[in-house]
Amino acid sequence: MEALIKFVEDEFVTKKEFPEFSAGDTITVYYEIREGEKTRTQFFRGVVIQVKGTGLTKTFTIRKMSGTVGVERIFPLNMPALQKVEINKKGQVRRKRIYYFRGLTGKKARIKEKRY
């Protein structure tokens, strides 16, 4: 059964190439929104809280602050409306899922930038 699913994924689903990112990175996601007949591109910039799944079922969660309210959005990696992903900053965190980031405010909510 798994071989059959793998075959269908390889043959019929189009794969997009996005840069490699992980939790703690600040990224900008550009995606297409349809409003009736019109389409427009909107972006969502925030910190990656988690990357989950493998292959075509891979998803990632981004959190941003909109005023004083935290907004999170989950994006499937193979979403057709997803146009491009830009990495703005590489963050240095010790965990793969930084749920503790939700409780931090002010200066404590900063993530140290990774040095190369």
Side-chain angles (χ1 to χ4, degrees), residues 1-7:
M1 189 67 180
E2 290 178 26
L4 186 61
I5 293 171
K6 178 105 172 105
F7 173 75

Side-chain angles (χ1 to χ4, degrees), residues 2 18 26 38 52 54 69 71 74 79 89 107 110:
E2 290 178 26
F18 294 116
T26 303
K38 298 178 183 176
K52 186 169 155 181
T54 59
V69 179
V71 179
I74 300 171
M79 185 168 77
K89 279 195 252 180
K107 287 188 177 180
R110 289 186 292 188

Side-chain angles (χ1 to χ4, degrees), residues 20-79:
E20 203 59 37
F21 56 88
S22 61
D25 295 351
T26 303
I27 64 172
T28 305
V29 178
Y30 294 89
Y31 57 99
E32 193 174 88
I33 292 182
R34 287 194 178 88
E35 296 170 335
E37 298 294 317
K38 298 178 183 176
T39 61
R40 64 184 174 87
T41 301
Q42 186 169 336
F43 68 91
F44 193 89
R45 177 179 291 131
V47 177
V48 178
I49 289 186
Q50 71 170 347
V51 179
K52 186 169 155 181
T54 59
L56 292 176
T57 61
K58 195 171 193 175
T59 62
F60 57 97
T61 305
I62 300 179
R63 179 180 176 84
K64 76 171 182 176
M65 293 302 291
S66 179
T68 58
V69 179
V71 179
E72 290 186 11
R73 178 134 189 199
I74 300 171
F75 290 98
L77 205 61
N78 67 334
M79 185 168 77

Side-chain angles (χ1 to χ4, degrees), residues 77-106:
L77 205 61
N78 67 334
M79 185 168 77
L82 212 61
Q83 291 179 342
K84 70 177 179 176
V85 175
E86 288 179 353
I87 298 177
N88 303 104
K89 279 195 252 180
K90 287 288 222 179
Q92 182 180 354
V93 292
R94 294 184 178 190
R95 302 180 188 184
K96 287 287 185 184
R97 302 197 175 160
I98 54 173
Y99 297 134
Y100 66 89
F101 193 66
R102 293 173 177 156
L104 302 179
T105 57

